[in-house]
């Protein structure tokens, strides 16, 4: 009986460590004989490890005292004892506290005391670009997955994954060399990250992906820490350029990118 073919779901489950030993062995045999798939899986693992490292300080924050499970159980017990006259915590309050506990545990305390919906449109794209910069721009060993020398492979691969023709803007007239790029995961699907640097080692990151919201959006400026960003969308494709550069210096570069990808400024 023929072995079951290795699917993309199998590869993703292998990266996440969710395969049983037998299937894991089959996937490893497949990767040994398919170097292109092996390189792709290795890149996924590298992205996973870097994202985990970037988010570890948030995940390791202590549980807020007001959501401590032992404390909630004790308050519930006291509430039962006080039900004949003394002020007791209502079941509704307790249920709300337990819901907050579940949200906090599931979200790794990212909410930091508040529950907020996810960003959408170009606001989400700007945040994704800033996150990509924080994770990859500081890496002096392997900031990109596919180097500039292999830009044709990068264009072919990412155009297929994004289901949209990819262009790599030439920023040499602005003083920035193309270093390379990689696919990065987002809450809205895969995105392409391109990285540039200048003679001083200053790096810029551009992130682009298809847009479900804000399919056409005027360019807007954002600020995240010491990062300036300019984000926009045109005909269902979004772009966000970020870097530790003054707005007056970054804005013309963003306009140059718009010109090169075929948009009027």
């Amino acid at each position: 009986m023929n072995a079951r073919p290795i699917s993309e779901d199998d590869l993703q489950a292998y990266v996440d460590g969710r395969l049983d030993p037998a299937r894991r062995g089959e996937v490893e045999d497949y990767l040994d004989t398919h170097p292109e798939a092996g390189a792709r899986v290795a890149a996924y693992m590298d992205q996973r490890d870097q994202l985990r490292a970037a988010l570890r300080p948030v995940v390791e924050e202590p549980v807020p005292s007001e959501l401590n499970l032992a404390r909630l159980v004790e308050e519930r017990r006291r509430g039962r004892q006080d039900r004949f006259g003394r002020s007791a915590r209502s079941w509704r309050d307790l249920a709300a506290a337990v819901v907050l506990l579940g949200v906090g545990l599931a979200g790794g305390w990212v909410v930091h005391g508040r529950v907020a919906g996810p960003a959408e449109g170009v606001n989400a794209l700007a945040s994704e670009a800033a996150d990509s910069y924080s994770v990859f721009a500081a890496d002096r060993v392997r900031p990109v997955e596919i180097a500039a020398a292999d830009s044709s492979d990068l264009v072919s691969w990412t155009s297929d994954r994004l289901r949209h023709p990819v262009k790599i803007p030439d920023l040499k007239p602005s003083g920035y060399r193309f270093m390379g790029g990689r696919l990065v995961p987002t809450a809205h699907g895969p995105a392409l990250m391109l990285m540039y640097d200048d003679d001083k080692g200053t790096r810029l990151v551009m992130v682009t992906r298809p847009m479900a919201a804000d399919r056409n959006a005027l360019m807007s400026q954002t600020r995240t820490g010491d990062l300036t960003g300019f984000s926009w969308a045109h005909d269902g494709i979004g772009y966000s350029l970020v870097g530790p550069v003054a707005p007056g210096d970054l804005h013309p570069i963003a306009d140059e990118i718009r010109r090169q990808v075929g948009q009027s400024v």
Side-chain angles (χ1 to χ4, degrees):
M1 183 174 181
N2 293 332
R4 180 159 52 96
I6 304 299
S7 68
E8 184 67 23
D9 288 343
D10 289 320
L11 297 181
Q12 295 292 342
Y14 178 78
V15 172
D16 295 337
R18 294 186 288 105
L19 293 177
D20 61 68
R23 190 58 172 169
R24 184 170 63 247
E26 293 174 358
V27 170
E28 289 173 346
D29 290 342
Y30 173 84
L31 295 176
D32 288 340
T33 57
H34 294 76
E36 181 179 349
R40 183 154 52 90
V41 167
Y44 289 159
M45 289 180 167
D46 182 53
Q47 291 180 23
R48 176 200 63 193
D49 293 342
Q50 294 193 55
L51 287 171
R52 285 178 176 174
L55 295 174
R56 185 174 296 115
V58 176
V59 175
E60 292 178 351
E61 288 184 11
V63 177
S65 60
E66 62 269 21
L67 296 182
N68 181 274
L69 185 58
R71 177 175 174 273
L72 293 175
V73 171
E74 176 60 23
E75 288 187 357
R76 176 181 175 183
R77 185 185 64 79
R78 285 204 307 266
R80 285 177 173 175
Q81 292 175 347
D82 293 343
R83 66 183 179 274
F84 294 111
R86 291 191 295 271
S87 173
R89 176 181 294 273
S90 71
W91 279 103
R92 185 172 60 184
D93 290 343
L94 179 61
V98 172
V99 169
L100 285 175
L101 175 63
V103 170
L105 291 174
W109 308 114
V110 174
V111 290
H112 284 285
R114 68 183 185 277
V115 178
E120 295 291 341
V122 292
N123 290 332
L125 182 63
S127 178
E128 292 158 6
D131 290 344
S132 291
Y133 188 99
S134 298
V135 172
F136 298 113
D139 189 339
R140 297 296 161 177
V141 178
R142 194 180 178 187
V144 298
E145 179 182 351
I146 300 179
D150 299 314
S151 58
S152 60
D153 291 338
L154 177 64
V155 168
S156 175
W157 178 39
T158 56
S159 294
D160 181 63
R161 290 299 305 274
L162 299 183
R163 303 176 186 272
H164 176 79
V166 167
K167 288 186 178 180
I168 299 177
D170 179 7
L171 301 185
K172 288 180 182 177
S174 302
Y176 287 87
R177 298 175 296 262
F178 177 55
M179 298 173 60
R182 64 169 71 229
L183 277 177
V184 293
T186 78
H188 304 86
L192 168 62
M193 184 203 78
L194 302 178
M195 189 178 296
Y196 299 80
D197 70 348
D198 65 6
D199 291 336
K200 298 177 182 178
T202 302
R203 292 180 170 179
L204 303 180
V205 159
M206 187 189 84
V207 169
T208 180
R209 64 167 170 80
M211 304 289 287
D214 286 351
R215 292 178 55 83
N216 288 283
L218 298 176
M219 183 178 288
S220 60
Q221 180 184 333
T222 56
R223 188 76 179 176
T224 305
D226 63 348
L227 294 179
T228 299
F230 287 95
S231 306
W232 69 98
H234 179 75
D235 286 349
I237 303 298
Y239 304 84
S240 185
L241 178 69
V242 299
V245 180
D249 295 327
L250 192 64
H251 196 175
I253 300 175
D255 285 339
E256 177 62 23
I257 291 173
R258 292 176 66 188
R259 277 189 287 267
Q260 293 191 30
V261 298
Q263 302 169 23
S264 60
V265 178

